[in-house]
Amino acid sequence: TLGARSQRKGRGGELEICKIFQAHGIDAKPGQAVSFGSTPDAVIPGIHPEIKRVERLSVPGAMAQAVRDSEKFQDGVPVLFHRRNRGEWLCTMRLMDWIPFYKAAKSDFSGPKERGDMD
């Protein structure tokens, strides 16, 4: 049925995200394959992942779900991971949640120097 196919696709997305995180040395485990909303999509320390593998997505609606569930499970910052068929994975966060991530990562950034550092 269409519902079962959608569930399999969603579960496949959860497994795919976990494999990507694991390949980059991040401890990630798929959530339990039980009824909708009773467990997180995956367990990734410090974040609450909402994983959507769909062609059409209401980003605001899915992000609202991530926020609600992060408050429910108290498992970290809400992050929406999403992709379409044959598309790349994207992630969406609230700006005020993203800023601390940026500040923490900034010291590791090895890109172009800032203007004042050119000489």
Side-chain angles (χ1 to χ4, degrees):
T1 68
L2 185 59
R5 189 174 12 189
S6 177
Q7 281 184 325
R8 279 193 307 276
K9 187 175 179 180
R11 182 66 177 166
E14 294 165 8
L15 297 172
E16 193 177 334
I17 281 287
C18 287
K19 285 180 184 177
I20 292 168
F21 273 98
Q22 291 164 357
H24 288 87
I26 298 168
D27 183 26
K29 296 176 185 73
Q32 298 175 355
V34 293
S35 64
F36 293 114
S38 61
T39 65
D41 290 346
V43 177
I44 303 169
I47 66 168
H48 173 82
E50 185 60 42
I51 302 167
K52 301 290 187 186
R53 178 83 169 65
V54 295
E55 290 305 296
R56 292 186 180 168
L57 177 65
S58 165
V59 171
M63 195 63 216
Q65 180 184 357
V67 170
R68 274 193 316 273
D69 287 352
S70 74
E71 292 167 358
K72 174 181 172 182
F73 295 113
Q74 295 291 302
D75 56 352
V77 175
V79 182
L80 171 62
F81 297 94
H82 51 104
R83 86 171 180 90
R84 293 177 168 177
N85 288 338
R86 297 171 297 281
E88 66 180 316
W89 281 102
L90 303 172
C91 62
T92 301
M93 296 177 69
R94 297 180 296 188
L95 179 60
M96 296 314 290
D97 290 335
W98 178 83
I99 288 172
F101 279 82
Y102 176 77
K103 286 182 175 181
K106 186 177 175 191
S107 61
D108 295 334
F109 181 65
S110 60
K113 295 183 180 207
E114 294 180 11
R115 283 182 192 257
D117 297 336
M118 298 301 267
D119 33 35

